[in-house]
Short mmCIF file of all heavy atoms in Angstrom, two decimals:
data_model
loop_
_atom_site.label_atom_id
_atom_site.label_comp_id
_atom_site.label_asym_id
_atom_site.label_seq_id
_atom_site.Cartn_x
_atom_site.Cartn_y
_atom_site.Cartn_z
N ALA A 1 94.11 177.54 136.12
CA ALA A 1 94.19 177.45 134.66
C ALA A 1 93.22 176.39 134.13
O ALA A 1 92.50 176.62 133.14
CB ALA A 1 95.62 177.11 134.23
N LEU A 2 93.19 175.24 134.78
CA LEU A 2 92.29 174.17 134.35
C LEU A 2 90.83 174.57 134.52
O LEU A 2 89.98 174.26 133.66
CB LEU A 2 92.57 172.89 135.15
CG LEU A 2 93.89 172.18 134.82
CD1 LEU A 2 94.21 171.12 135.87
CD2 LEU A 2 93.82 171.54 133.43
N LEU A 3 90.51 175.24 135.61
CA LEU A 3 89.14 175.71 135.82
C LEU A 3 88.73 176.70 134.73
O LEU A 3 87.64 176.59 134.15
CB LEU A 3 89.02 176.38 137.20
CG LEU A 3 88.98 175.44 138.40
CD1 LEU A 3 89.31 176.19 139.69
CD2 LEU A 3 87.59 174.78 138.52
N HIS A 4 89.61 177.64 134.44
CA HIS A 4 89.32 178.63 133.40
C HIS A 4 89.13 177.95 132.04
O HIS A 4 88.18 178.25 131.30
CB HIS A 4 90.46 179.65 133.34
CG HIS A 4 90.37 180.59 132.19
ND1 HIS A 4 89.41 181.59 132.10
CD2 HIS A 4 91.11 180.69 131.05
CE1 HIS A 4 89.57 182.25 130.98
NE2 HIS A 4 90.60 181.72 130.31
N GLU A 5 90.03 177.04 131.73
CA GLU A 5 89.95 176.33 130.45
C GLU A 5 88.72 175.44 130.37
O GLU A 5 88.25 175.12 129.28
CB GLU A 5 91.23 175.52 130.24
CG GLU A 5 92.45 176.40 130.00
CD GLU A 5 93.78 175.72 130.30
OE1 GLU A 5 93.77 174.53 130.67
OE2 GLU A 5 94.84 176.36 130.17
N GLY A 6 88.20 175.05 131.54
CA GLY A 6 87.00 174.21 131.58
C GLY A 6 85.70 174.99 131.64
O GLY A 6 84.63 174.40 131.78
N GLY A 7 85.78 176.34 131.58
CA GLY A 7 84.57 177.14 131.51
C GLY A 7 84.11 177.76 132.81
O GLY A 7 83.00 178.30 132.89
N ALA A 8 84.94 177.73 133.85
CA ALA A 8 84.58 178.37 135.11
C ALA A 8 85.05 179.82 135.13
O ALA A 8 85.99 180.19 134.41
CB ALA A 8 85.19 177.60 136.28
N ASP A 9 84.40 180.64 135.96
CA ASP A 9 84.82 182.02 136.21
C ASP A 9 85.68 181.99 137.47
O ASP A 9 85.16 181.73 138.56
CB ASP A 9 83.58 182.90 136.40
CG ASP A 9 83.93 184.35 136.68
OD1 ASP A 9 85.12 184.72 136.54
OD2 ASP A 9 83.03 185.11 137.07
N VAL A 10 86.97 182.23 137.33
CA VAL A 10 87.92 181.95 138.42
C VAL A 10 88.59 183.22 138.92
O VAL A 10 88.93 184.12 138.15
CB VAL A 10 89.04 180.99 137.93
CG1 VAL A 10 89.92 180.54 139.10
CG2 VAL A 10 88.45 179.79 137.22
N GLU A 11 88.78 183.25 140.24
CA GLU A 11 89.65 184.26 140.85
C GLU A 11 90.58 183.53 141.82
O GLU A 11 90.14 182.73 142.64
CB GLU A 11 88.86 185.33 141.61
CG GLU A 11 89.77 186.39 142.23
CD GLU A 11 89.01 187.47 142.99
OE1 GLU A 11 87.78 187.31 143.18
OE2 GLU A 11 89.64 188.47 143.39
N VAL A 12 91.88 183.84 141.71
CA VAL A 12 92.87 183.28 142.62
C VAL A 12 93.16 184.32 143.70
O VAL A 12 93.48 185.47 143.39
CB VAL A 12 94.18 182.92 141.89
CG1 VAL A 12 95.15 182.22 142.85
CG2 VAL A 12 93.90 182.02 140.70
N LEU A 13 93.03 183.91 144.96
CA LEU A 13 93.29 184.80 146.08
C LEU A 13 94.61 184.38 146.72
O LEU A 13 94.74 183.27 147.23
CB LEU A 13 92.15 184.72 147.10
CG LEU A 13 90.77 185.12 146.56
CD1 LEU A 13 89.70 184.85 147.61
CD2 LEU A 13 90.75 186.58 146.14
N VAL A 14 95.59 185.29 146.68
CA VAL A 14 96.94 184.98 147.11
C VAL A 14 97.32 185.88 148.28
O VAL A 14 97.25 187.11 148.17
CB VAL A 14 97.95 185.17 145.95
CG1 VAL A 14 99.34 184.72 146.38
CG2 VAL A 14 97.49 184.41 144.71
N ARG A 15 97.75 185.27 149.38
CA ARG A 15 98.14 186.07 150.55
C ARG A 15 99.42 186.88 150.28
O ARG A 15 99.55 188.00 150.75
CB ARG A 15 98.37 185.12 151.73
CG ARG A 15 98.70 185.82 153.04
CD ARG A 15 99.10 184.81 154.10
NE ARG A 15 98.01 183.89 154.39
CZ ARG A 15 97.11 184.07 155.34
NH1 ARG A 15 97.17 185.16 156.11
NH2 ARG A 15 96.16 183.18 155.55
N ALA A 16 100.34 186.31 149.53
CA ALA A 16 101.62 186.97 149.28
C ALA A 16 101.44 188.17 148.33
O ALA A 16 100.48 188.22 147.56
CB ALA A 16 102.61 185.98 148.68
N PRO A 17 102.39 189.11 148.35
CA PRO A 17 102.26 190.29 147.49
C PRO A 17 102.63 190.04 146.04
O PRO A 17 102.42 190.90 145.18
CB PRO A 17 103.24 191.29 148.11
CG PRO A 17 104.26 190.44 148.81
CD PRO A 17 103.51 189.24 149.30
N ARG A 18 103.20 188.87 145.73
CA ARG A 18 103.55 188.55 144.35
C ARG A 18 103.53 187.04 144.17
O ARG A 18 103.55 186.28 145.13
CB ARG A 18 104.94 189.09 143.99
CG ARG A 18 106.05 188.57 144.87
CD ARG A 18 107.42 188.89 144.32
NE ARG A 18 107.71 188.17 143.09
CZ ARG A 18 108.93 188.04 142.59
NH1 ARG A 18 109.97 188.58 143.20
NH2 ARG A 18 109.12 187.36 141.49
N ILE A 19 103.49 186.64 142.90
CA ILE A 19 103.59 185.23 142.55
C ILE A 19 104.99 184.95 142.03
O ILE A 19 105.52 185.71 141.21
CB ILE A 19 102.55 184.84 141.49
CG1 ILE A 19 101.15 184.87 142.11
CG2 ILE A 19 102.84 183.45 140.91
CD1 ILE A 19 100.03 184.60 141.12
N HIS A 20 105.59 183.91 142.53
CA HIS A 20 106.91 183.52 142.08
C HIS A 20 106.77 182.46 140.99
O HIS A 20 106.04 181.48 141.15
CB HIS A 20 107.73 182.94 143.24
CG HIS A 20 107.98 183.93 144.33
ND1 HIS A 20 108.99 184.88 144.26
CD2 HIS A 20 107.35 184.14 145.51
CE1 HIS A 20 108.98 185.62 145.35
NE2 HIS A 20 108.00 185.19 146.13
N PHE A 21 107.46 182.68 139.88
CA PHE A 21 107.51 181.69 138.81
C PHE A 21 108.93 181.14 138.71
O PHE A 21 109.91 181.89 138.75
CB PHE A 21 107.08 182.29 137.48
CG PHE A 21 105.59 182.50 137.36
CD1 PHE A 21 105.03 183.73 137.61
CD2 PHE A 21 104.76 181.44 137.02
CE1 PHE A 21 103.66 183.92 137.52
CE2 PHE A 21 103.39 181.61 136.92
CZ PHE A 21 102.84 182.86 137.16
N LEU A 22 109.02 179.82 138.60
CA LEU A 22 110.32 179.17 138.54
C LEU A 22 110.96 179.39 137.18
O LEU A 22 110.28 179.37 136.15
CB LEU A 22 110.15 177.67 138.80
CG LEU A 22 109.50 177.31 140.15
CD1 LEU A 22 109.22 175.82 140.20
CD2 LEU A 22 110.40 177.72 141.30
N LYS A 23 112.27 179.56 137.18
CA LYS A 23 112.99 179.76 135.93
C LYS A 23 113.21 178.46 135.18
O LYS A 23 113.38 178.42 133.97
CB LYS A 23 114.32 180.47 136.19
CG LYS A 23 114.14 181.86 136.76
CD LYS A 23 115.46 182.52 137.02
CE LYS A 23 115.28 183.98 137.43
NZ LYS A 23 114.51 184.12 138.68
N GLY A 24 113.24 177.35 135.92
CA GLY A 24 113.20 176.02 135.33
C GLY A 24 114.26 175.72 134.32
O GLY A 24 115.45 175.98 134.50
N ALA A 25 113.82 175.14 133.18
CA ALA A 25 114.74 174.62 132.17
C ALA A 25 115.67 175.69 131.62
O ALA A 25 116.84 175.43 131.33
CB ALA A 25 113.94 173.98 131.03
N GLY A 26 115.19 176.92 131.49
CA GLY A 26 116.03 177.98 130.97
C GLY A 26 117.24 178.24 131.85
O GLY A 26 118.35 178.41 131.38
N LEU A 27 117.00 178.26 133.17
CA LEU A 27 118.10 178.47 134.10
C LEU A 27 119.08 177.31 134.05
O LEU A 27 120.30 177.53 134.02
CB LEU A 27 117.55 178.64 135.51
CG LEU A 27 118.59 178.77 136.62
CD1 LEU A 27 119.49 179.98 136.38
CD2 LEU A 27 117.91 178.86 137.98
N ARG A 28 118.59 176.09 134.02
CA ARG A 28 119.48 174.93 133.97
C ARG A 28 120.34 174.97 132.71
O ARG A 28 121.53 174.65 132.73
CB ARG A 28 118.67 173.64 134.02
CG ARG A 28 118.18 173.28 135.41
CD ARG A 28 117.60 171.89 135.45
NE ARG A 28 116.48 171.73 134.55
CZ ARG A 28 115.23 172.11 134.86
NH1 ARG A 28 114.98 172.65 136.03
NH2 ARG A 28 114.25 171.95 134.01
N SER A 29 119.74 175.37 131.60
CA SER A 29 120.48 175.43 130.35
C SER A 29 121.58 176.48 130.41
O SER A 29 122.72 176.25 129.99
CB SER A 29 119.52 175.73 129.19
OG SER A 29 120.21 175.84 127.98
N ARG A 30 121.27 177.65 130.97
CA ARG A 30 122.27 178.71 131.06
C ARG A 30 123.41 178.31 131.99
O ARG A 30 124.59 178.55 131.70
CB ARG A 30 121.62 180.01 131.55
CG ARG A 30 120.68 180.64 130.54
CD ARG A 30 120.32 182.06 130.93
NE ARG A 30 119.57 182.10 132.18
CZ ARG A 30 118.25 181.97 132.26
NH1 ARG A 30 117.52 181.76 131.16
NH2 ARG A 30 117.63 182.04 133.42
N LEU A 31 123.07 177.68 133.11
CA LEU A 31 124.10 177.24 134.04
C LEU A 31 124.96 176.14 133.43
O LEU A 31 126.17 176.08 133.65
CB LEU A 31 123.46 176.74 135.34
CG LEU A 31 122.83 177.82 136.24
CD1 LEU A 31 122.12 177.19 137.41
CD2 LEU A 31 123.89 178.80 136.72
N ARG A 32 124.32 175.27 132.64
CA ARG A 32 125.08 174.21 131.98
C ARG A 32 126.08 174.82 130.99
O ARG A 32 127.23 174.38 130.89
CB ARG A 32 124.13 173.25 131.28
CG ARG A 32 124.80 172.00 130.71
CD ARG A 32 123.80 171.08 130.05
NE ARG A 32 122.87 170.51 131.01
CZ ARG A 32 121.57 170.82 131.08
NH1 ARG A 32 121.06 171.70 130.22
NH2 ARG A 32 120.79 170.26 131.97
N ASP A 33 125.64 175.84 130.26
CA ASP A 33 126.53 176.48 129.30
C ASP A 33 127.70 177.19 129.99
O ASP A 33 128.83 177.17 129.49
CB ASP A 33 125.74 177.50 128.45
CG ASP A 33 124.73 176.82 127.53
OD1 ASP A 33 124.89 175.61 127.29
OD2 ASP A 33 123.80 177.50 127.09
N ARG A 34 127.43 177.80 131.14
CA ARG A 34 128.46 178.60 131.81
C ARG A 34 129.37 177.76 132.69
O ARG A 34 130.57 178.04 132.80
CB ARG A 34 127.80 179.69 132.65
CG ARG A 34 127.04 180.73 131.84
CD ARG A 34 126.31 181.70 132.74
NE ARG A 34 125.50 182.63 131.97
CZ ARG A 34 124.70 183.55 132.50
NH1 ARG A 34 124.61 183.65 133.82
NH2 ARG A 34 123.99 184.35 131.73
N LEU A 35 128.81 176.74 133.33
CA LEU A 35 129.57 175.98 134.32
C LEU A 35 130.01 174.61 133.85
O LEU A 35 130.89 174.00 134.45
CB LEU A 35 128.74 175.83 135.61
CG LEU A 35 128.32 177.13 136.28
CD1 LEU A 35 127.45 176.82 137.49
CD2 LEU A 35 129.52 177.96 136.69
N GLY A 36 129.39 174.11 132.78
CA GLY A 36 129.75 172.79 132.27
C GLY A 36 129.57 171.71 133.32
O GLY A 36 128.54 171.67 134.01
N PRO A 37 130.56 170.84 133.51
CA PRO A 37 130.44 169.73 134.47
C PRO A 37 130.26 170.18 135.91
O PRO A 37 129.83 169.39 136.76
CB PRO A 37 131.76 168.97 134.30
CG PRO A 37 132.27 169.36 132.95
CD PRO A 37 131.82 170.78 132.74
N ALA A 38 130.59 171.44 136.21
CA ALA A 38 130.46 171.93 137.58
C ALA A 38 129.03 172.36 137.91
O ALA A 38 128.73 172.67 139.07
CB ALA A 38 131.41 173.10 137.81
N ARG A 39 128.15 172.37 136.92
CA ARG A 39 126.79 172.84 137.15
C ARG A 39 126.08 172.14 138.30
O ARG A 39 125.42 172.80 139.14
CB ARG A 39 125.98 172.72 135.86
CG ARG A 39 124.64 173.45 135.87
CD ARG A 39 123.47 172.59 136.30
NE ARG A 39 123.35 171.42 135.47
CZ ARG A 39 122.49 170.43 135.71
NH1 ARG A 39 121.73 170.45 136.78
NH2 ARG A 39 122.43 169.38 134.92
#
């Protein structure tokens, strides 16, 4: 992303068949709402 934003022509080569993206803050918020102190 930084290379692209800096004006480079970029290709990412990934061995895996997919890229995993973390659910992050959204998941923590949902778990907090559902589980409360048990989260």
Side-chain angles (χ1 to χ4, degrees):
L2 289 168
L3 284 162
H4 172 70
E5 291 158 2
D9 179 10
V10 188
E11 181 180 9
V12 185
L13 300 173
V14 185
R15 184 188 298 268
R18 58 168 292 196
I19 290 176
H20 297 279
F21 284 98
L22 301 172
K23 296 180 173 62
L27 175 60
R28 282 190 300 278
S29 178
R30 291 193 296 273
L31 290 174
R32 188 179 294 111
D33 292 342
R34 295 175 184 176
L35 301 177
R39 193 267 303 173

